C-alpha cells in the first residue's frame, strides 16, 4: 500500500461516525480513529503502538480474549453485542451518553507485508438501546394494566351475577306474596263492605297494582344490556310492536324500507312504549307514522302521531323517571333501552298537532342490507 | 454424489468440536448453564433436498444468523432457529423478565452474537483444513423462510451440510439447524483435505 493511499484510507476512517481501531495479531494498535478518540478521551498518540489490552482493559478478560483469538484463528468476524458487553471501550466521562451502549464488530483482514490484522468497529447504540428499554417498559405496563382490568372485569361480572340472582329471587318472592295479598284483597272487595273500608281497600288495590308495575320495571331494567345487541328491521319492529286491542282503531304506517338498527333486544318494548304512548296520551290519535331521514353520519327515525301532542311545559320532563300520568316509567325506560346502543331520542312535536319523536341512530349502528 | 463415511465422520467431528467450543463460550458469556449437542450431521444436495430439510419451521418463520465467506471454500454458514424458539432462547440466555413475545432490536443483536459465537467456532474448527485464510462478510440476521443467501447465489452452491443442533438451557430444549451451503468445488476441496488429514493425522 503506498503511503498516499494509506493516508487517504486513514483520513476516510477518521471521518466515519463509528469508532475504529485496527490491531495486529500481537494486539498492537496500529490505528485509532477520531471518533473513538472523542468517545474515550484517549488520543491517537496515546493509543497507537500500545497493546490493546493496556488501552481497553476489557479485552484482557477471558471471554473477550478468546473471542479475539477466534478472529485470528480463521473463525471470521466476531460480534460483541451491547446486551452482554454494554461498554467495552472506556468513556471519556462516565456520565456521558455518547458510547454508553456499544456494539463491537471485530473482523480479520490481511495486509500485504504486514500479515493478519483485525479491524474493531465500535457503534454507538445508546439511542436505540434506551428506546427499546422504554418501549419494553411501556409494553409491560400495558400488559400489567390489561391484566388488572381483566381481573376487575371478572370480579364485576361475578358481582353482577350475584346481584342479578338476588334481585330475581327477591322479585319472584315479592310477587308471590303480593299475589296472595291481592287475592285476599279481592275476596274482601267482593264482600263490598262499603263506606270508608271500601275506599281504603280500593286504595290498597291501587297500591298493589303500582307495586307490581315497579317490580315489572325492575325486571325490565335489569334485563337491559344483558343480551348482546342484534340487528332489527325497523318496519318489522313497528309492525310487531303495534299489535293488540289498544291499536285496533289506529293506522300505523312504517316507511323505513330495509333500514335495520343495532339494538338491545328490549327495543321491542321501547317501540311498544312509544306507540302505546301515542295512543294513550294522544286522546284522539288515529294515525301513527314511522319514517326515516338519512344524515351524513347518522339516521333519524321519526315517529309522529296526530294526537294532542306534548304540552310545551312538559316537553323537558317527559323522559324523566316518574314523570307521566301512567306508570311514569315508559319513556324513561325507552330512552335507557335506546341508549344502550348509542341511540338518542328527543320530542320535537307541536303541541295541539301531535307528538313527534326523533331517534338518532349513530354511524355503525344502522345499515341498509342489499344497498351496499 | 457418493460421500464416504470417513468424510461424513470428519465433518461431524469438526462441527462437534466447533459447537462444543462455542458452548463453553456461551456459558461464559451468559453465565447460564447451556449444553449444546449435535445429534445429527448429514450432507444434502442443495437443489433437491435442502429446501425440504430446512423447512422444519413451517408454517412459522425462522430466525437466521448467516455468515458468508469465500476463498478455498465459498459459501455460507447459517444458524436457523424457529422464530418463537429464537425469542425464547434469547430471553433464557439473558435472564430477561417480562413477556417474550417479540424479537426487538436488542434481542436481534443478542441472537446475532450467540449465533456468531457458534458459527465462528465452527468456522474456526474447519479452518485447520485451509492453507490460506478465507474472506468473510459481516454476519447478518434474517427472518422468514430459509432461502439461499443472495450474496453467494452467483457461486452456485451445490452441497449442503446440515447439523441439527440442540440447546439445553434450564429445563428447556431448543432445536436449531447449523447449515453450510458450499459450492461443489469447495466440497471437493473439503473432502480431499479431510481424507489427507485422516491419512497423515493432525
Amino acid at each position: 500500500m503506498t503511503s498516499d493511499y494509506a493516508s487517504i484510507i486513514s483520513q476516510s476512517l477518521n471521518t466515519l461516525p463509528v469508532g475504529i481501531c485496527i490491531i495486529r495479531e500481537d494486539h498492537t494498535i496500529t490505528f485509532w480513529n477520531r471518533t473513538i478518540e472523542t468517545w474515550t478521551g484517549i488520543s491517537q498518540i496515546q493509543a497507537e503502538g500500545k497493546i490493546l489490552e493496556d488501552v481497553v482493559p476489557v479485552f484482557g478478560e477471558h471471554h473477550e480474549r478468546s473471542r479475539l483469538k477466534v478472529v485470528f484463528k480463521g473463525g471470521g468476524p466476531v460480534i460483541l453485542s451491547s446486551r452482554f458487553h454494554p461498554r467495552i471501550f472506556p468513556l471519556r466521562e462516565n456520565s456521558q451518553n455518547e458510547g454508553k451502549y456499544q456494539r463491537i464488530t471485530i473482523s480479520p483482514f490481511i495486509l500485504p507485508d504486514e500479515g493478519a490484522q483485525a479491524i474493531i468497529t465500535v457503534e454507538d447504540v445508546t439511542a436505540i438501546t434506551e428506546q427499546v428499554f422504554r418501549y419494553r417498559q411501556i409494553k409491560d405496563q400495558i400488559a400489567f394494566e390489561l391484566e388488572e382490568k381483566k381481573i376487575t372485569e371478572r370480579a364485576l361480572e361475578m358481582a353482577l351475577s350475584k346481584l342479578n340472582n338476588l334481585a330475581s329471587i327477591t322479585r319472584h318472592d315479592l310477587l308471590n306474596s303480593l299475589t296472595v295479598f291481592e287475592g285476599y284483597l279481592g275476596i274482601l272487595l267482593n264482600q263490598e263492605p262499603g263506606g270508608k273500608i271500601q275506599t281504603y281497600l280500593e286504595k290498597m288495590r291501587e297500591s298493589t297494582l303500582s307495586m307490581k308495575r315497579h317490580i315489572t320495571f325492575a325486571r325490565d331494567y335489569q334485563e337491559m344490556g344483558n343480551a348482546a345487541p342484534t340487528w332489527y328491521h325497523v318496519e318489522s319492529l313497528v309492525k310487531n310492536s303495534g299489535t293488540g286491542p289498544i291499536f285496533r282503531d289506529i293506522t300505523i304506517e312504517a316507511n323505513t324500507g330495509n333500514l335495520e338498527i343495532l339494538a338491545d333486544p328490549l327495543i321491542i318494548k321501547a317501540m311498544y312504549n312509544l306507540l302505546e304512548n301515542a295512543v294513550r296520551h294522544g286522546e284522539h290519535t288515529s294515525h301513527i307514522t314511522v319514517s326515516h331521514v338519512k344524515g351524513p353520519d347518522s339516521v333519524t327515525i321519526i315517529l309522529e302521531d296526530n294526537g294532542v301532542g306534548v304540552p310545551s311545559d312538559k316537553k323537558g320532563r317527559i323522559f324523566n323517571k316518574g314523570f307521566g300520568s301512567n306508570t311514569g316509567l315508559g319513556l324513561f325506560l325507552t330512552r335507557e333501552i335506546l341508549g344502550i346502543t348509542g341511540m338518542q331520542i328527543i320530542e320535537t312535536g307541536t303541541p295541539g298537532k301531535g307528538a313527534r319523536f326523533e331517534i338518532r341512530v349513530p354511524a355503525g349502528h344502522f345499515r341498509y342490507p342489499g344497498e351496499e | 454424489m457418493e460421500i464416504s463415511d470417513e468424510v461424513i465422520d470428519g465433518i461431524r467431528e469438526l462441527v462437534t468440536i466447533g459447537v462444543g467450543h462455542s458452548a463453553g463460550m456461551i456459558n461464559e458469556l451468559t453465565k447460564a448453564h447451556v449444553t449444546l449437542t449435535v445429534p445429527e450431521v448429514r450432507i444434502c444436495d442443495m437443489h433437491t433436498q435442502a429446501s425440504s430439510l430446512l423447512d422444519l419451521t413451517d408454517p412459522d418463520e425462522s430466525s437466521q444468523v448467516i455468515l458468508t465467506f469465500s476463498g478455498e471454500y465459498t459459501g455460507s454458514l447459517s444458524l436457523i432457529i424457529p422464530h418463537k424458539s429464537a425469542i425464547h432462547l434469547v430471553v433464557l440466555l439473558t435472564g430477561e423478565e417480562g413477556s417474550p413475545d417479540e424479537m426487538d432490536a436488542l434481542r436481534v443483536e443478542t441472537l446475532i452474537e450467540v449465533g456468531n459465537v457458534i458459527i465462528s467456532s465452527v468456522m474456526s474448527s474447519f479452518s485447520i483444513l485451509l492453507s490460506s485464510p478465507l474472506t468473510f462478510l459481516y454476519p447478518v440476521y434474517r427472518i422468514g423462510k430459509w432461502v439461499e443467501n443472495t450474496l453467494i447465489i452467483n457461486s452456485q452452491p451445490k452441497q449442503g451440510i446440515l447439523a441439527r443442533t440442540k440447546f439445553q438451557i434450564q429445563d428447556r430444549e431448543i432445536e436449531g439447524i447449523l447449515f453450510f451451503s458450499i459450492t461443489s468445488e469447495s466440497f471437493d476441496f473439503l473432502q480431499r483435505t479431510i481424507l489427507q488429514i485422516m491419512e497423515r493425522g493432525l
Side-chain angles (χ1 to χ4, degrees):
Chain A
M1 191 189 296
T2 66
S3 61
D4 282 353
Y5 187 65
S7 165
I8 290 166
I9 298 276
S10 163
Q11 276 178 40
S12 306
L13 294 180
N14 270 321
T15 58
L16 291 176
V18 288
I20 292 172
C21 162
I22 298 174
I23 57 167
R24 284 201 293 256
E25 200 165 358
D26 63 1
H27 295 194
T28 308
I29 298 170
T30 57
F31 181 77
W32 186 262
N33 85 338
R34 289 257 167 77
T35 306
I36 209 164
E37 181 180 279
T38 312
W39 289 346
T40 60
I42 302 165
S43 68
Q44 289 179 320
I45 294 167
Q46 288 170 309
E48 287 173 4
K50 302 267 170 35
I51 297 296
L52 179 70
E53 289 82 343
D54 294 338
V55 182
V56 188
V58 176
F59 278 111
E61 290 173 18
H62 184 256
H63 177 77
E64 282 72 13
R65 211 173 49 234
S66 46
R67 297 292 298 281
L68 207 50
K69 209 169 147 191
V70 164
V71 177
F72 285 111
K73 268 185 72 188
V78 155
I79 286 176
L80 305 173
S81 69
S82 63
R83 181 62 184 78
F84 291 126
H85 326 260
R87 200 183 304 159
I88 284 188
F89 280 75
L91 295 185
R92 186 170 23 88
E93 285 171 23
N94 272 336
S95 56
Q96 83 186 47
N97 220 32
E98 273 177 315
K100 192 167 137 193
Y101 291 100
Q102 303 168 356
R103 187 172 68 172
I104 315 283
T105 318
I106 311 167
S107 192
F109 68 100
I110 305 277
L111 269 188
D113 307 328
E114 292 193 39
Q117 311 252 329
I119 179 163
I120 305 174
T121 312
V122 189
E123 279 177 81
D124 177 11
V125 290
T126 309
I128 181 95
T129 304
E130 289 181 343
Q131 211 170 358
V132 171
F133 284 152
R134 274 196 297 274
Y135 167 73
R136 284 185 186 174
Q137 217 170 9
I138 292 167
K139 217 176 68 171
D140 288 346
Q141 180 65 25
I142 291 169
F144 174 74
E145 283 173 14
L146 210 66
E147 191 50 40
E148 288 279 288
K149 274 191 178 155
K150 274 183 191 165
I151 292 167
T152 312
E153 206 175 277
R154 281 196 289 270
L156 281 173
E157 269 172 18
M158 198 178 282
L160 182 68
S161 162
K162 279 184 180 171
L163 280 173
N164 280 345
N165 284 341
L166 178 72
S168 172
I169 292 164
T170 309
R171 267 197 325 270
H172 181 261
D173 293 348
L174 207 59
L175 270 176
N176 282 349
S177 302
L178 214 52
T179 307
V180 174
F181 183 78
E182 209 179 8
Y184 284 118
L185 208 55
I187 295 169
L188 282 176
L189 279 167
N190 282 344
Q191 289 174 9
E192 295 178 358
K196 278 188 177 177
I197 301 289
Q198 179 80 30
T199 314
Y200 295 155
L201 287 174
E202 272 164 10
K203 282 193 184 300
M204 283 167 79
R205 189 164 63 176
E206 272 173 36
S207 287
T208 312
L209 289 173
S210 171
M211 276 190 261
K212 274 189 158 176
R213 280 197 297 270
H214 284 299
I215 292 169
T216 310
F217 169 77
R219 185 200 62 208
D220 292 346
Y221 201 74
Q222 187 186 320
E223 280 173 6
M224 267 187 347
N226 273 358
T230 42
W231 289 99
Y232 289 89
H233 178 235
V234 177
E235 277 191 10
S236 309
L237 191 64
V238 173
K239 195 178 158 195
N240 294 335
S241 304
T243 52
I246 193 171
F247 301 112
R248 199 171 40 223
D249 302 321
I250 311 292
T251 310
I252 301 174
E253 202 182 328
N255 305 310
T256 53
N258 54 354
L259 171 65
E260 287 184 0
I261 56 171
L262 187 67
D264 185 273
L266 281 176
I267 186 73
I268 298 163
K269 187 167 189 71
M271 186 56 77
Y272 177 83
N273 281 346
L274 287 171
L275 296 173
E276 194 226 15
N277 253 31
V279 179
R280 186 184 294 278
H281 304 293
E283 293 177 16
H284 54 74
T285 303
S286 61
H287 202 99
I288 301 170
T289 315
V290 181
S291 57
H292 70 133
V293 177
K294 272 191 202 177
D297 58 354
S298 64
V299 151
T300 303
I301 299 169
I302 300 159
L303 195 142
E304 44 195 339
D305 64 59
N306 60 350
V308 294
V310 182
S312 302
D313 61 328
K314 292 180 179 170
K315 273 181 184 283
R317 292 177 290 152
I318 55 171
F319 294 106
N320 291 354
K321 188 168 178 248
F323 182 82
S325 51
N326 190 27
T327 63
L329 297 172
L331 283 178
F332 169 75
L333 200 61
T334 300
R335 191 186 60 179
E336 295 290 298
I337 293 166
L338 294 171
I340 292 169
T341 49
M343 289 186 269
Q344 293 168 320
I345 182 166
I346 50 168
E347 202 285 323
T348 57
T350 309
K353 289 189 174 175
R356 176 185 155 102
F357 288 94
E358 290 186 15
I359 301 166
R360 185 184 167 275
V361 189
H365 290 191
F366 67 86
R367 66 184 184 188
Y368 292 91
E371 283 188 18
E372 285 95 22
Chain B
M1 180 194 279
E2 197 63 32
I3 301 154
S4 68
D5 288 346
E6 287 94 330
V7 169
I8 294 175
D9 285 346
I11 289 171
R12 185 180 293 123
E13 202 169 326
L14 288 171
V15 172
T16 309
I17 291 168
V19 169
H21 188 221
S22 69
M25 283 209 261
I26 292 173
N27 280 333
E28 201 176 356
L29 179 70
T30 62
K31 313 280 184 275
H33 184 69
V34 184
T35 313
L36 273 170
T37 47
V38 186
E40 184 193 6
V41 175
R42 60 194 291 183
I43 316 295
C44 64
D45 184 273
M46 286 297 294
H47 301 297
T48 56
Q49 294 168 295
S51 299
S52 61
L53 286 171
L54 295 173
D55 210 15
L56 295 176
T57 56
D58 188 59
D60 291 332
E61 293 177 314
S62 62
S63 284
Q64 302 148 31
V65 180
I66 307 158
L67 180 70
T68 306
F69 48 84
S70 58
E72 281 175 328
Y73 34 85
T74 294
S76 70
L77 176 56
S78 313
L79 175 68
I80 307 164
I81 304 176
H83 189 59
K84 281 180 188 158
S85 303
I87 299 171
H88 279 290
L89 177 68
V90 172
V91 170
L92 287 169
L93 290 174
T94 54
E96 282 174 26
E97 287 175 359
S99 51
D101 52 358
E102 64 177 309
M103 187 68 97
D104 60 31
L106 286 188
R107 288 184 183 144
V108 166
E109 203 188 308
T110 311
L111 184 70
I112 292 178
E113 173 158 14
V114 172
N116 173 243
V117 169
I118 299 169
I119 290 171
S120 295
S121 298
V122 173
M123 287 308 294
S124 169
S125 164
F126 272 79
S127 69
I128 61 158
L129 307 175
L130 298 165
S131 55
S132 61
L134 298 175
T135 305
F136 294 95
L137 295 179
Y138 281 111
V140 291
Y141 171 79
R142 202 162 52 191
I143 181 169
K145 278 175 97 74
W146 187 87
V147 284
E148 184 50 76
N149 187 351
T150 48
L151 294 166
I152 61 154
I153 213 142
N154 292 336
S155 311
Q156 295 176 323
K158 283 194 76 181
Q159 292 297 325
I161 303 169
L162 186 146
R164 274 200 308 124
T165 311
K166 277 186 182 170
F167 294 78
Q168 255 167 330
I169 175 166
Q170 291 171 20
D171 54 353
R172 265 193 89 113
E173 192 174 86
I174 290 168
E175 196 169 314
I177 293 171
L178 261 175
F179 187 69
F180 263 111
S181 88
I182 51 175
T183 58
S184 296
E185 296 74 26
S186 304
F187 194 78
D188 290 345
F189 174 81
L190 197 72
Q191 280 200 97
R192 266 199 321 273
T193 42
I194 285 176
L195 291 171
Q196 278 167 12
I197 285 174
M198 281 181 161
E199 264 175 38
R200 68 159 199 263
L202 271 173

